[in-house]
Amino acid sequence: MAMNTVTLSVHVDEIEKLFREHNRALVAFLQCRLSSLSDAQEVAQEAYLRVLTMDNREEIESLRSYLFKIAGNLAIDRLRKRKVRSDFAAVQASDEPVGESTPVHHAMAVEQVAGIRRALRELPAKASQAFVMHVIEGRDFGTVAQTMNLSERMVRYHVANALAHCRARVDEKEMP
């Protein structure tokens, strides 16, 4: 037990040193990617937390490189979510006022939702659940992984497979 406390203390000291020496550069790196200081600070904080709580720290050659890699991946996730939300907002703000859709648009939307539900039912339960939690409910990979008791890598795998499956089903419907 004392060994674990000593190991954790050494790891915390490494993270503190990493923070003191590289936080300014990390936040600047993220701010260039995200165009937002507050987003950059949030992503940096999440990256430090992931490095602090990671297993097998001994296998990492450079904590600084690993920190920047994690932060870069988190920034990409945030940009993707931002784009999805932006695209959704653009659709909402398009020509037709919200709530005044035509019967044709309504029928198409109902058919698309039904198609996605069918596609999700064809998937293994974990893939479907990960997809719903991440894509539909908007939860980040870490939260989904914790809820499902999986690694983030497995959650990403399940979501990617579900997306590919749903895209294939949508493409099948669109072909004559």
Side-chain angles (χ1 to χ4, degrees):
M1 183 92 164
M3 185 63 129
N4 289 342
T5 305
V6 171
T7 304
L8 179 61
S9 176
V10 170
H11 188 54
V12 169
D13 290 343
E14 287 177 319
I15 301 302
E16 286 177 1
K17 181 180 179 201
L18 194 63
F19 181 84
R20 281 191 312 274
E21 294 177 0
H22 302 290
N23 189 57
R24 204 177 282 227
L26 178 64
V27 171
F29 164 75
L30 292 168
Q31 188 174 5
C32 286
R33 287 185 165 208
L34 298 169
S35 303
S36 166
L37 178 59
S38 62
D39 282 353
Q41 290 168 334
E42 285 180 25
V43 169
Q45 183 178 8
E46 188 174 346
Y48 282 111
L49 181 62
R50 292 198 183 182
V51 170
L52 183 63
T53 59
M54 73 182 197
D55 296 329
N56 304 329
R57 181 179 97 294
E58 309 81 36
E59 296 175 9
I60 306 300
E61 288 182 35
S62 168
L63 275 180
R64 180 192 182 280
S65 297
Y66 191 69
L67 173 69
F68 274 75
K69 178 72 171 166
I70 289 172
N73 289 341
L74 291 170
I76 289 168
D77 287 347
R78 184 159 297 212
L79 289 170
R80 285 179 182 153
K81 286 180 186 174
R82 191 186 290 170
K83 181 171 179 0
V84 167
R85 289 182 184 126
S86 171
D87 290 350
F88 181 74
V91 168
Q92 289 286 336
S94 69
D95 313 27
E96 293 185 28
V98 176
E100 293 187 27
S101 63
T102 65
V104 171
H105 287 117
H106 179 72
M108 288 172 47
V110 168
E111 185 177 328
Q112 286 176 339
V113 169
I116 290 174
R117 283 187 179 155
R118 278 191 302 276
L120 289 174
R121 280 194 299 268
E122 296 170 357
L123 291 168
K126 286 185 179 181
S128 179
Q129 182 182 4
F131 176 86
V132 169
M133 291 174 75
H134 179 69
V135 176
I136 300 195
E137 295 174 3
R139 298 184 194 183
D140 63 62
F141 287 114
T143 303
V144 175
Q146 196 170 28
T147 302
M148 295 181 67
N149 200 24
L150 297 171
S151 68
E152 280 188 46
R153 186 174 185 164
M154 282 308 299
V155 171
R156 289 177 192 273
Y157 172 80
H158 287 310
V159 170
N161 281 342
L163 282 169
H165 181 74
C166 288
R167 169 53 51 200
R169 290 295 182 249
V170 167
D171 288 347
E172 285 175 4
K173 280 284 196 187
E174 291 176 356
M175 297 189 108

